[in-house]
Amino acid sequence: EIVLTQSPATLSLSPGERATLSCKASQSVRSYLAWYQQKPGQAPRLLIYDASKRATGIPARFSGSGSGTDFTLTISSLEPEDFAVYYCQQRTNWLKTFGQGTRLEIK
Amino acid sequence: EVHLVESGGGLVQPGGSLRLSCAASGFTFSDYEMNWVRQAPGKGLEWVSYISSSGSTIYYADSVKGRFTISRDNAKNSLYLQMNRLRAVDTAVYYCAREVNTAVAGLDYWGQGNLVTVSS
């Protein structure tokens, strides 16, 4: 099973700052990696698929990069509504695993 | 507009069974692969199971293999998860989620979630 390790566990930033979230895979997942945002009491929302492609309706301040084992989600300038939990997810041969999540909180 | 609506959750005793349903609308259900994902209270997301668009290919997480069965009825635009021999650790909100497409990694639409509680 491929393990995804997200860091940091918690990130404390202020609105307007840049956020950089990391996701490392225990073995190569090529570009089969997605990022999700989840707010309390809500279902996850797809932000990025295939490592770097923004999902429909996702603002341009969200960007994804990486391939193989190292991936990054960047939020260029934080808006108040961006404070949430973020998960990465990989897919290899239709088997999937999620990272443990990064909580982005207001400083 | 795409909608996924789960139903069938509730309280069940350890060792019991429950069947979850997910009603899909707003898209051609038979064209899409589907998944079940769960989230224990206060915890992260855990992928549970995958089914191809035709139903011919199925995968499970090791934690549920042999106890859970995923299925679909394309004529009824519905996805199912039959859960047997339930354990306390299966307590979670269960989501159905649509795969973007075969070639990419990502689940683009999710249901609102359905709580399953396994307790005596």
Side-chain angles (χ1 to χ4, degrees):
Chain A
E1 174 184 305
I2 295 177
V3 176
L4 298 179
T5 302
Q6 292 186 240
S7 61
T10 303
L11 185 58
S12 300
L13 294 169
S14 301
E17 290 193 292
R18 181 184 187 90
T20 303
L21 287 67
S22 173
C23 177
K24 293 185 185 296
S26 59
Q27 59 185 275
S28 176
V29 298
R30 295 198 284 174
S31 293
Y32 290 130
L33 191 105
W35 288 94
Y36 301 86
Q37 177 193 70
Q38 188 179 32
K39 297 180 180 179
Q42 296 184 16
R45 177 173 73 142
L46 178 65
L47 301 174
I48 302 289
Y49 66 94
D50 271 7
S52 61
K53 300 171 183 174
R54 266 192 306 277
T56 303
I58 301 304
R61 64 181 181 274
F62 291 92
S63 63
S65 63
S67 66
T69 60
D70 292 331
F71 299 87
T72 300
L73 174 69
T74 301
I75 310 171
S76 59
S77 179
L78 286 166
E79 298 287 340
E81 62 267 27
D82 297 337
F83 292 92
V85 179
Y86 291 83
Y87 295 95
C88 57
Q89 171 246 314
Q90 66 81 26
R91 185 197 93 173
T92 50
N93 298 325
W94 297 278
L95 299 177
K96 301 170 178 67
T97 50
F98 288 88
Q100 82 281 14
T102 288
R103 180 177 304 277
L104 179 55
E105 63 178 27
I106 300 176
K107 188 174 182 179
Chain B
E1 187 180 358
V2 173
H3 282 292
L4 298 170
V5 180
E6 300 97 342
S7 61
L11 176 63
V12 61
Q13 292 189 335
S17 298
L18 214 53
R19 189 197 197 204
L20 300 182
S21 299
C22 172
S25 61
F27 65 103
T28 305
F29 181 70
S30 58
D31 286 347
Y32 286 86
E33 302 155 296
M34 298 294 295
N35 295 265
W36 288 98
V37 177
R38 68 184 181 183
Q39 187 168 36
K43 303 297 184 183
L45 301 169
E46 180 188 15
W47 172 76
V48 172
S49 185
Y50 157 94
I51 187 167
S52 62
S53 57
S54 66
S56 60
T57 301
I58 285 172
Y59 293 100
Y60 299 99
D62 287 343
S63 58
V64 306
K65 201 175 295 182
R67 300 187 299 122
F68 290 12
T69 303
I70 191 173
S71 63
R72 64 190 297 161
D73 185 335
N74 287 341
K76 294 183 177 180
N77 293 332
S78 293
L79 175 72
Y80 306 102
L81 186 68
Q82 177 67 42
M83 303 183 293
N84 297 331
R85 293 172 13 226
L86 282 161
R87 307 165 180 166
V89 294
D90 296 319
T91 295
V93 173
Y94 285 74
Y95 297 98
C96 60
R98 190 183 84 167
E99 200 99 20
V100 173
N101 67 52
T102 299
V104 308
L107 305 176
D108 60 352
Y109 286 93
W110 297 60
Q112 83 287 355
N114 202 216
L115 178 62
V116 172
T117 303
V118 184
S119 175
S120 55

